Amino acid sequence: MKLFSYAQATKPADAVQLLGAQTQSKFIAGGTNLVDLMKYDVESPDRLVDISQLALTQIDATDKGLRIGALARNSDVAANALVMKQFPLLSEALLAGASPQLRNMATMGGNLLQRTRCHYFYDVSQPCNKRAAGSGCGAIGGYNRIHAILGSSPSCIATNPSDMNVALAALDAVVQVTGPNGSRSIPILDFHRLPGNTPQRDTVLEANELITAVDLPTTAIGGKSHYLKVRDRASYAFALVSVAARLAVENGVVRDVRIALGGVAHKPWRLPDVEKNMVGKPATETTFRSAAKALLAGAQPHEHNAFKIQLAENAIVRALQTVS
Amino acid sequence: MWVASRELATRWCVANSRQALSLVLDKISTLVWCLIQPMTFKNMAKKLLGDPINRVDGALKATGRARYSADIKRPGMLHGVLVMSTIANGKITAIDTADALKVPGVVNVMSHQNAPKLAGMDKNKPSEIATDRVLHVFQDDLVHYNNQPIAMVLAETLEQATEGASLVRVTYQTQPVKLPLPAGKADMSTPKQMPRVDDQVDTKRGDLAAGLAAAINRMEETYTTPTMNHNALEPHALLAYWEGDKLTMYNATQGISGCQKRVAEIFGMPKENVRVITQFLGGGFGSKGTTFSHVMLAPMAAKLTGKPVRLVLKREQMFGMVGNRSATVQRLNLATGKDGKLLATAHHSITQTSDFDEFAEPAGTITRMLYACPNLDTTHKFIRANIGTPAPMRAPGEAPGVFALESAIDEMAAQLRMDPLAFRLANYAETDPNKDKPFSSKSLRECYRQGAERFGWSKRPAQPRSLKNGNYLRGMGMATTVYPMNRGESTALVRLKPDGTVQVETATQDLGTGTFTIMTQIAAEVFGLSPDQVTLSAGDSIYPTSSVSGGSRNTASTGSAVTQAAQEVLKKARQMALKDPKSPLFNVAEAEIVVQKGGQLQQKSNPKVGEALTSLLKRNGNKPLEATVQSKQGDEKGKYSMNAFGAVFAEVEVDELLGEVRVTRLLGSFAAGRIVNLKTARSQVLGGMVWAVSMALHEKTVFDPRNNRVMNANLAEYHVPVNADIQEIDGFFIEEADDIVNPAGVKGIGEIGVVGTVSAIANAIYHATGRRFRDLPITVDKVLA
C-alpha cells in the first residue's frame, strides 16, 4: 500500500470536482473493497475522495417504484420495509453476501462497482489484463475453479462477485449517475460489461462519474422471487453459482419471468429472449430445464470449472421450482 | 458416618477401581457421596473430570487487555515488512532497493546482500526434533519456493515499511519447478525418520500376502488429501531487541524453551543470552511450534539497525514460510475372513516435503495399532517439491491417515453388510498390536457405547440413501478417534508460602487452550487449595524449561512437572510436620499424613489430628517451602502403549443437485485420562471437531500448476467453516483413571477431536448418498450429481 492524500466531499458536485481529471484519484465510501485492493497494491490511488458524508442514503418510494441512494448501506437496504415488501429479492441477495460487519459498511454504489475475486487479479506478481492491461491472463491455464463459463474472452475469464448485482439484474434496475457533463441513467444490463479485449473496464461508468442512486421499477405483473446462492460454505463465501429468479404463474402457466445468473460471467447473466420464450409455457421442470439449457448455451468451461454448467442448470431449475 | 464412609471409600480408592468404588457408593447416600467426592483417588483427590472453572486470563482477553506479541512496543522500534519471492525455484540475480529507500521513514532493507552472518549456520539443518527446520535467513541468493522471504524493509512506521516493501524490485534466474502432490509423483524416496523419532518409517507384521490369500473379502482404494495451511487467527509476530549481546524476544511461539534453544544455536550464542516471552497466543496449530525464519529475521534486523524490530506476518505470508500440512496419496488394502475379522491391512502413504528439508507426514502410524490384525504392512514415501517445508499441523499424520483408514474400515463394513460400529468392535485391539504391549488404559468400548446411545446410532438404517429431508439426503456415519499420549521434558518450580498461597514457575506458554488455567488447577488440587490461591508465573524463558505446546503434550508434560513439584513440596511439609514436636502430626508416619481441602494436613486414620499448612510454615521460620522438579517419561513408555481414544458420530444432509453438504449433528465421546478442566477440555474437543469439518469439507491450499504459487492465500478463498457451517455439536468425556500414563494422569485432548471426525463425516456422506468420496475436501463440484 502506498501513501495517499485524502479529501472529504460534502456535495455530489464537489465530489466530482475533487476527483477531477486525475486518474489516480478514487472515490471511497464504505471502503470494504477498495481498502482491500489498496492493501494488495491492486489499486494504488494517490488521492481518496471520501463521499461517505454525501446525502445519498435515502430510500424513497417514487411513482415508478423505489429509489435507493447510492450510499445507503447494504444492511439498511436489506432491512428496509419498502424493499422487503416490494423487492424482497434484493433483500435476500444482499443478506446472502459478505458478513454483517461488511454489510454495515458497504454501500449500494460500492457494491455495484465491486471488483472480481479472480486470484490472479489480486496477486500483483501474476499476469492479469484486468489489473495491468496487456500483461496476460493468469487464470487461463492456471487455477480457474471460480471463473467464468459464459461471455469470457481470451484476455479475461473473471466473474463479477456481487450478489446484489445479480438481483438488480433480475429487477431491471436503473443506475443513476452524475458527472462533469451532467447526469444520466444506465439500465443495469448495460451497466456492467463483458471483458472483450478491455477487461480493465468492469462497467460503462466513466472515471469521473459518481453513482447517485439505484432505481427499482415496480413490476407490472406480481409474482414470487428467490435468490439461490451455491457456495463452498454456508456463509461468507462468494457464489460459485447464483440465481436471482422472479416468476409469475397463472393457472400453471408462466406469465412473466426474470432469471439472472451470478458467478458465471463478467456481469450478471441474463437473456431476455429466453425469458420471453418461457411466457405461456407450463410452469414445470421441463420448461425450467429447457430455459436453463438455453441460458447456458455456449458455455465454455476451463480446466477447473466445468462443474458450473451442470450446477447452474440445476440451480436455475431449483430456484424456479421454489417460486412456482 | 462420614468418617467411616470415607475410610471405606479410601480403602477402595487405594485399590483404585472405579467399579469397586461404585459398589461402595451404591451402599451410601448421595449426601455422603458429596462429602467424600474430593477423596476419590489415592491419598489426594484427583478428580477425573475436573472443575469447569473459567480461564484465569478470561477477563483480560475479553476486555482487550491481554497483550499479544504484536501489541508489544519499545521506544525507537522499527517495523519490518517482508519481501517475498515470486518464483518457486532459482536464484536472485539482483535486488533493487533504491525506490524503497526513498520512501520517507525507511531506514534499511535487509537481504542476503547485507544481512548479519550467523555463526550457527551449521546448525541450520533439520535435527531429530521435528520442530527444528531449515530456515531462510538471507545467507544466500537461492529461492526454493514461491512466497519465500528474501528481503525485509525496515521503517519507522508500518505504513512506510509496507510501501517500501512494495517497491523492492527483484530479478531472478529461474529453474524448472518441482510440483507438489498429486501431480509430482516422480522421484519418490523413503524418509530417514518420522517426526516422532520412535515411529518407524515402514513396518511389517505377519505375512501380508498370506493374510490376503486367506481372506474372503478384500478392498483396495486410494485416498487423497490436499495441502493445508494452519491459519491461526493471530499472525506470527515478534518484537526483538538487543541489549549488548543479550537478545529479548516477545514472540508468538508454541514452544518458548525450544525457541530459545534454536535461536541461540543459530546465532551461535549461549542459550542464557536469549530471553523469549509469550504472554498470550492466538492459536498456532503447529505452525508456531517450529522456529521458522521470521523468528531469526527480526533479531537479525535488530542487530543490523541497532534498534528494536517488530515483525508481524501478513496473512498471505503465512502460506509457505511457516509450514503446512503435506498433501497425501494413501493406498489402503483391507482383507477380512468369514467372521469379519481383519486378516490383512496395508497402508502405503506418499507425502511431500520441500526441496531443502525433510518432514514426513506420518500418515500410516495409527493404522499399525488401531485394530487387531495379524498381517500388516505400512510404508511412507515422500516427494520433493518447490514448496515451503511441511510442519506438524493439528494431528499431523493422524488426521489424513485416519481419514483414509476409517473410510476404508467403513467401506469394508459396507462390503460385509455389517454395521460399521459392530465391525469395529469385532476387530477391537485388546492390546497394542504394533508395540505388542498392553494399553495403560483404553476405554474405547465405553466411548462407542455411550456415544452410540447418545447419538441414536441404532436408528441408522443399514441401507444408504434411505433417509430424506426435503431436497436433502440424510446420512449417519461414525469413526474411531485416537491420539497417542506424547510427553516431553518439563521443569516446574512450586513454592508454598507461609500465607498459604502457592506460586508456580514454569516457562510454558498458553497456546490459547487454557494451559495457564489448568496449571493453577493442578497445583491447587495437590494442596487442597482453591485455584485462586495459586499464582502462575509462566510465558517466559526466565522460568524453568518447559515442553512445546504441540502433539497434545503440554498438560502431560508440564502438568506432570507441576504435579511432581507440588507433591515434592507437600512431602517436605509432611516431613516438617512429623519432625516438629509442636505439630499435632509430630511422629506420625509420613504415609499417614494426607492433605485435605483448605490446605489442612491430617492424620489419615484420625482426621481430628492435624493442622493447617500455614500454621506449620509460620512456626517453622515463616519461610516458603519450594521444590523444582524436572519431569520426563520413565520406563512406563517401554512397558505400555498409551493413547487417548474416542468415537465420533456424524449426521449430514446432502443436496446432490446443488452439491451442498451440511453437517447437521456431530457428537464425540472421548476417554483421555483425567480431565483437568471440563470447560476448557470440552472447548478443545469441540474445536478439534470443527477443525475436522474444515478438513472434510472446506480446506485446501491451491497451487498454480505452473509456478507453485498459492492462489488462495487469504481467508476469503482459503475456506474454514464459519458459524453457519456448524450446527448441533457436542463432545463429552468418559471417566478414565490412568495412574501409569504420567504423574498428572492425563492424556492429550488438543488433537483427538480432529482425527476420527473427518472420516465420520465422509462416512455419513456415503450413507446419505451411497457414493464414496475419497478425495478431500468434499466440495460442491465433487458432490454435484
Side-chain angles (χ1 to χ4, degrees), chain A residues 246-260:
Chain A
R246 280 201 293 154
L247 180 68
V249 179
E250 252 179 41
N251 302 322
V253 170
V254 175
R255 274 212 64 199
D256 194 22
V257 63
R258 298 285 183 281
I259 309 166

Side-chain angles (χ1 to χ4, degrees), chain B residues 312-544:
Chain B
V312 182
L313 297 196
K314 297 189 206 179
R315 179 62 55 183
E316 60 267 29
Q317 292 169 342
M318 293 165 68
F319 286 79
M321 62 181 284
V322 290
N324 57 74
R325 189 199 294 285
S326 169
T328 69
V329 176
Q330 303 173 60
R331 188 162 56 83
L332 263 291
N333 299 62
L334 297 179
T336 53
K338 244 194 332 227
D339 49 3
K341 289 215 191 304
L342 286 165
L343 288 176
T345 301
H347 190 164
H348 302 290
S349 303
I350 306 169
T351 66
Q352 67 200 18
T353 188
S354 64
D355 83 333
F356 56 89
D357 198 351
E358 296 190 354
F359 179 90
E361 181 85 6
T365 54
I366 293 297
T367 301
R368 298 165 182 168
M369 57 72 71
L370 196 57
Y371 296 106
C373 178
N375 308 297
L376 176 138
D377 279 12
T378 62
T379 64
H380 290 92
K381 297 215 178 317
F382 59 29
I383 62 138
R384 290 181 179 279
N386 291 115
I387 56 169
T389 307
M393 175 164 157
R394 204 170 188 179
E398 293 89 3
V402 171
F403 157 66
L405 172 65
E406 284 293 281
S407 295
I409 289 284
D410 205 66
E411 297 205 44
M412 180 52 90
Q415 191 180 328
L416 295 170
R417 298 182 178 282
M418 269 180 90
D419 176 86
L421 176 48
F423 179 56
R424 285 170 172 87
L425 283 166
N427 290 284
Y428 197 86
E430 301 290 352
T431 56
D432 183 328
N434 183 44
K435 294 182 177 156
D436 195 20
K437 291 188 174 100
F439 292 108
S440 62
S441 58
K442 178 176 180 179
S443 312
L444 178 56
R445 265 202 193 86
E446 198 54 20
C447 292
Y448 285 145
R449 192 186 68 74
Q450 290 193 30
E453 191 180 304
R454 285 206 203 183
F455 183 78
W457 181 252
S458 61
K459 297 194 190 89
R460 175 187 183 270
Q463 193 61 29
R465 287 190 86 86
S466 50
L467 298 173
K468 282 204 172 64
N469 175 24
N471 291 320
Y472 291 89
L473 296 164
R474 181 181 283 171
M476 300 185 201
M478 61 85 56
T480 309
T481 192
V482 58
Y483 200 81
M485 197 289 294
N486 294 317
R487 185 174 163 203
E489 267 186 46
S490 267
T491 304
L493 176 151
V494 170
R495 184 181 295 124
L496 174 66
K497 295 182 188 168
D499 64 1
T501 63
V502 170
Q503 175 130 24
V504 179
E505 292 181 2
T506 178
T508 192
Q509 57 292 325
D510 185 335
L511 186 48
T513 52
T515 299
F516 289 167
T517 307
I518 62 180
M519 291 305 144
T520 66
Q521 281 180 280
I522 287 172
E525 198 162 1
V526 173
F527 294 107
L529 297 173
S530 137
D532 58 19
Q533 291 171 285
V534 177
T535 310
L536 175 72
S537 302
D540 193 329
S541 62
I542 59 168
Y543 301 121

Side-chain angles (χ1 to χ4, degrees), chain B residues 720-736:
Chain B
V720 298
V722 295
N723 276 331
D725 292 296
I726 305 302
Q727 301 189 18
E728 201 180 312
I729 184 167
D730 202 3
F732 67 96
F733 295 94
I734 308 285
E735 293 194 18
E736 184 179 76

Side-chain angles (χ1 to χ4, degrees), chain A residues 1-3 39-41 117 119-120 123 125-126 137-143 145-146 228 230-238 240 289 303-304 307-308 310-311 314-315 318, chain B residues 86 159 162-163 166 314 316 471 655-659 697-698 702-707 709-722 724-725 779-781 784-785:
Chain A
M1 192 192 246
K2 75 173 187 191
L3 297 177
K39 286 182 181 172
Y40 284 104
D41 293 318
R117 288 300 308 188
H119 319 298
Y120 298 85
D123 185 340
S125 77
Q126 300 300 301
C137 173
I140 297 173
Y143 181 65
R145 180 171 177 267
I146 66 168
L228 174 65
V230 183
R231 45 186 152 179
D232 279 321
R233 60 182 166 194
S235 178
Y236 196 50
F238 292 94
L240 291 165
R289 197 161 291 278
E303 189 182 347
H304 306 107
F307 74 97
K308 281 192 176 185
Q310 185 65 54
L311 179 61
N314 291 353
R318 175 69 59 77
Chain B
T86 57
E159 290 78 7
T162 303
E163 182 172 4
S166 72
K314 297 189 206 179
E316 60 267 29
N471 291 320
D655 185 332
E656 282 189 308
L657 290 178
L658 301 181
L697 304 181
H698 301 294
V702 177
F703 295 97
D704 181 287
R706 299 159 298 195
N707 57 20
R709 191 160 179 87
V710 174
M711 294 319 298
N712 60 342
N714 60 71
L715 292 180
E717 268 91 20
Y718 183 92
H719 289 149
V720 298
V722 295
D725 292 296
T779 45
V780 171
D781 44 335
L784 186 68

Side-chain angles (χ1 to χ4, degrees), chain B residues 165-245:
Chain B
S166 72
L167 296 173
V168 174
R169 306 279 169 245
V170 184
T171 44
Y172 306 95
Q173 191 180 70
T174 59
Q175 296 287 324
V177 174
K178 290 193 274 276
L179 297 177
L181 293 171
K185 268 198 278 186
D187 296 329
M188 282 190 279
S189 57
T190 299
K192 285 192 212 72
Q193 64 174 46
M194 295 276 101
R196 243 186 319 254
V197 287
D198 298 338
D199 286 335
Q200 290 169 273
V201 178
D202 296 341
T203 62
K204 268 185 190 302
R205 178 158 86 229
D207 182 339
L208 185 77
L212 286 168
I216 293 169
N217 292 282
R218 298 177 194 89
M219 65 80 66
E220 174 176 333
E221 292 294 348
T222 298
Y223 303 84
T224 51
T225 63
T227 304
M228 287 171 248
N229 284 87
H230 307 71
N231 275 308
L233 185 59
E234 179 202 29
H236 298 71
L238 72 159
L239 170 78
Y241 59 92
W242 295 85
E243 291 163 310
D245 57 359

Side-chain angles (χ1 to χ4, degrees), chain A residues 15 17 21 26 30 40 48 81 129-130 157 162 184 190 195 217 221 266 276 280:
Chain A
Q17 205 186 355
K26 288 268 173 197
Y40 284 104
L48 290 184
N129 289 320
K130 183 181 279 300
I157 61 170
S162 166
R184 59 178 179 138
D190 301 332
I221 306 165
H266 200 257
K276 278 182 206 133

Side-chain angles (χ1 to χ4, degrees), chain B residues 107-142:
Chain B
V107 301
N108 210 332
V109 179
M110 183 172 81
S111 70
H112 71 279
Q113 294 170 344
N114 63 346
K117 294 296 161 217
L118 300 168
M121 277 303 280
D122 59 317
K123 301 276 186 355
N124 189 22
K125 58 186 182 190
S127 82
E128 276 221 328
I129 303 164
T131 51
D132 286 353
R133 305 259 55 108
V134 176
L135 308 180
H136 290 294
V137 282
F138 303 175
Q139 304 292 296
D140 60 40
D141 57 0
L142 300 177

Side-chain angles (χ1 to χ4, degrees), chain B residues 562-602:
Chain B
V562 172
T563 303
Q564 286 176 287
Q567 283 169 345
E568 192 58 34
V569 170
L570 191 60
K571 185 184 171 73
K572 288 185 183 179
R574 284 199 198 98
Q575 287 172 350
M576 184 183 272
L578 69 87
K579 286 178 192 156
D580 178 0
K582 289 182 182 160
S583 171
L585 294 161
F586 180 59
N587 274 342
V588 173
E590 192 182 327
E592 263 284 288
I593 303 174
V594 296
V595 71
Q596 274 299 316
K597 206 165 180 174
Q600 292 285 325
L601 290 182
Q602 287 179 355

